[in-house]
Amino acid sequence: MDLEALKRLAAEKAVEAVEPGMVLGLGTGSTVYYALLKLGQNVRSGLDIIGIPTSIQTADIAQREGIKLSDLATYPELDLTIDGADEIDPDLNLIKGLGGALVREKITVEASNRLIIIADQTKVVPHLGSKSPLPVEVVQFGWEVTRNRLGQRCSRVVQRQNREAAYITDNGNYILDCYFERIDNPAQAEVEINNLPGVVENGLFINRAEQAIIATQNGIHIQC
Ligand code: 5RP
């Protein structure tokens, strides 16, 4: 199976957990895309749910699929969120945000009673920081100062680009991708990085997921 087939497999398995009447956090990314397609199909067959999108991209796809959308002002407590991840460690801690939606994703997860992560096997790592940079969303004002402070904590910091220009998030901020060899104490790192002036949020999601549905060449593996 190719990577896209694996993503679809994980996504469609997660959608089996969606029950009528649920208010559902809708994550962002290429794996969540397949969950949105499946949800759209189920909605067209009569499933009644409300989705809370974590990005403009997800809102656009969900709308196209006919999924009813609302916001956290109307629904501050969600039944379930389905989202992707960039890295998953053995303790179910995550790096997220390569898709640029980490702030809205973290707020949505905070509002959610459950988080199911969907991924293909390439996202499983022995420790966080081994493959993916850690995305950190920062305000534009004085971002160079924030970058320098982040640089003291990791081996390299790169401002994310979108073609020739700086990448701008849905919240109007920059993203700094921080490269580590490994993040030894991710719970502490999450708090300490968020304490730096200029940081809006970082992509460490610690003790947030209830389970990860990981699609492998040998079938679905559920990590709890
Ligand atoms: C977006 C995210 C995504 O969930 C993460 O990047 C995984 O994306 P994909 O399924 O495309 O690999 O955190 O901010």
Side-chain angles (χ1 to χ4, degrees):
M1 254 193 272
D2 67 15
L3 215 54
E4 293 308 305
L6 292 177
K7 290 177 188 185
R8 184 188 285 272
L9 192 67
E12 294 191 348
K13 180 74 187 162
V15 169
E16 289 175 14
V18 177
E19 292 167 15
M22 274 189 169
V23 184
L24 196 63
L26 305 173
T28 294
S30 59
T31 315
V32 164
Y33 172 72
Y34 292 110
L36 296 172
L37 294 189
K38 187 67 188 169
L39 282 168
Q41 195 183 321
N42 293 353
V43 163
R44 290 189 291 281
S45 304
L47 177 70
D48 183 26
I49 52 158
I50 292 167
I52 311 295
T54 54
S55 62
I56 294 169
Q57 181 194 65
T58 289
D60 288 346
I61 299 166
Q63 245 155 6
R64 223 172 49 215
E65 288 301 312
I67 300 166
K68 248 186 276 167
L69 295 181
S70 189
D71 54 34
L72 290 171
T74 313
Y75 294 99
E77 190 175 336
L78 314 184
D79 298 299
L80 170 67
T81 292
I82 297 175
D83 203 350
D86 302 303
E87 285 190 351
I88 304 167
D89 81 1
D91 298 322
L92 213 47
N93 294 323
L94 317 167
I95 286 182
K96 288 182 48 53
L98 284 193
L102 63 120
V103 169
R104 296 188 187 196
E105 289 172 338
K106 204 177 270 191
I107 294 169
T108 303
V109 165
E110 182 67 25
S112 193
N113 292 329
R114 298 171 60 202
L115 170 62
I116 295 180
I117 291 295
I118 50 178
D120 63 81
Q121 60 194 20
T122 64
K123 305 298 184 62
V124 175
V125 294
H127 49 77
L128 296 181
S130 33
K131 279 185 170 179
S132 167
L134 173 66
V136 179
E137 184 160 331
V138 303
V139 297
Q140 293 194 28
F141 178 85
W143 71 271
E144 297 89 345
V145 177
T146 312
R147 176 200 57 200
N148 293 346
R149 289 291 170 272
L150 283 167
Q152 293 168 345
R153 299 193 56 99
C154 63
S155 50
R156 195 159 57 98
V157 183
V158 178
Q159 184 188 24
R160 193 176 295 181
Q161 303 290 307
N162 186 6
R163 298 188 189 94
E164 299 299 290
Y167 177 90
I168 307 286
T169 69
D170 288 351
N171 314 305
N173 299 313
Y174 290 154
I175 289 192
L176 301 178
D177 287 314
C178 301
Y179 290 81
F180 294 78
E181 262 87 66
R182 63 184 291 156
I183 301 173
D184 276 325
N185 186 338
Q188 194 180 331
E190 183 186 15
V191 173
E192 287 180 0
I193 290 170
N194 279 353
N195 265 340
L196 295 175
V199 170
V200 178
E201 189 53 81
N202 69 76
L204 286 165
F205 284 59
I206 309 301
N207 283 328
R208 303 274 182 168
E210 172 189 289
Q211 61 174 253
I213 298 176
I214 298 159
T216 76
Q217 295 297 348
N218 302 320
I220 292 274
H221 168 68
I222 309 273
Q223 187 184 334
C224 296

